[in-house]
Amino acid sequence: MMTDIESARQRQKKRQQYRRWSNYSLWGGIFALFAAVAVWVVYPDPTVVYAGTILYWLGFFGMLGIQYGTEIDLEDERQDEVASKAGAVTLGIAAVVGVLLTPAAVAVDATGVYDVAPEFWGIIWTFVGLFVVFGIAHTYYDHHHA
Amino acid sequence: MKNDVRSYREERDLSQGDLAALVGVSRQTVNAIERDRYDPSLELAFKLAACFECSIEALFDPELES
């Protein structure tokens, strides 16, 4: 295996290059969207914002294309674990906020003490949607790893 | 998990980047393993052992309590 070091280095370089392209694609798309909105402020033609949105989508799909189109894994197992733990913490915080705030909001809204803004319920339903997706994904992977 | 990855690597005059390239992970992952901050998967542990031509037990000490 020690003799493979040159090809391993090449593979590593390729991986870093693909990661860079993937990041450039996503950030290029985000920059294009912001630039389009900035242009739209001084030149309020909706076509400008539509073009920015399309460029953003292209950047996003470009990133996905690079990540899934290459035979090299762009993330290693530690990076996957970091992402997984960060996701779990985010979900946990969302759960705590949802569990604490929802009954309180229902109580104050029902008693007329305070009119809860419709946007708040929108956020709560978004949380519910996320947890439904999480539940489905969890069940799927639980069955496939059992 | 305590391990001797660093000493095995240095014995063979490999940089963290070279070892990372050989086993297909990032340099940061090798660094995290050497500093006992990340426990590798079984697959990665086998790859490291194969790279150093030793057993997994020689490389890692799980410090199991009997």
Side-chain angles (χ1 to χ4, degrees):
Chain A
M1 185 173 267
M2 302 294 273
T3 53
D4 296 339
I5 196 146
E6 261 318 306
S7 64
R9 281 181 185 148
Q10 290 303 318
R11 207 169 45 241
Q12 194 81 321
K13 266 188 189 160
K14 217 179 212 181
R15 177 182 172 177
Q16 285 163 350
Q17 188 182 43
Y18 283 133
R19 280 192 74 166
R20 247 193 321 272
W21 286 351
S22 167
N23 289 337
Y24 286 161
S25 182
L26 179 66
W27 284 105
I30 291 170
F31 176 78
L33 181 60
F34 276 101
V37 172
V39 170
W40 177 74
V41 171
V42 288
Y43 180 69
D45 183 346
T47 318
V48 174
V49 184
Y50 295 150
T53 306
I54 289 168
L55 285 173
Y56 169 73
W57 285 345
L58 285 175
F60 176 72
F61 286 115
M63 179 198 73
L64 287 185
I66 293 165
Q67 285 190 355
Y68 291 99
T70 170
E71 73 283 2
I72 300 170
D73 284 335
L74 300 191
E75 303 283 318
D76 71 16
E77 59 175 50
R78 188 187 59 87
Q79 290 160 326
D80 287 341
E81 193 175 307
V82 168
S84 170
K85 282 183 175 167
V89 167
T90 307
L91 206 63
I93 291 170
V96 169
V97 171
V99 165
L100 291 179
L101 284 187
T102 308
V106 169
V108 292
D109 201 42
T111 53
V113 173
Y114 181 76
D115 280 335
V116 177
E119 289 82 3
F120 176 83
W121 300 117
I123 292 168
I124 294 299
W125 281 112
T126 305
F127 276 3
V128 170
L130 276 176
F131 280 105
V132 169
V133 171
F134 173 80
I136 292 168
H138 192 280
T139 307
Y140 174 81
Y141 286 112
D142 198 34
H143 280 284
H144 279 75
H145 290 289
Chain B
M1 192 188 301
K2 293 224 174 299
N3 65 78
D4 288 325
V5 171
R6 186 184 186 137
S7 55
Y8 271 87
R9 175 177 63 76
E10 286 176 346
E11 265 174 33
R12 282 152 183 82
D13 210 18
L14 287 170
S15 67
Q16 286 186 339
D18 286 340
L19 178 59
L22 282 168
V23 296
V25 296
S26 66
R27 189 196 58 76
Q28 289 86 347
T29 296
V30 169
N31 184 48
I33 293 168
E34 287 186 359
R35 296 171 66 195
D36 302 341
R37 291 183 141 201
Y38 174 68
D39 291 339
S41 67
L42 197 54
E43 185 185 353
L44 180 52
F46 270 109
K47 279 184 184 172
L48 287 164
C51 184
F52 294 131
E53 294 168 329
C54 67
S55 65
I56 289 181
E57 293 90 335
L59 208 49
F60 294 97
D61 176 12
E63 301 175 292
L64 296 176
E65 288 175 22
S66 55

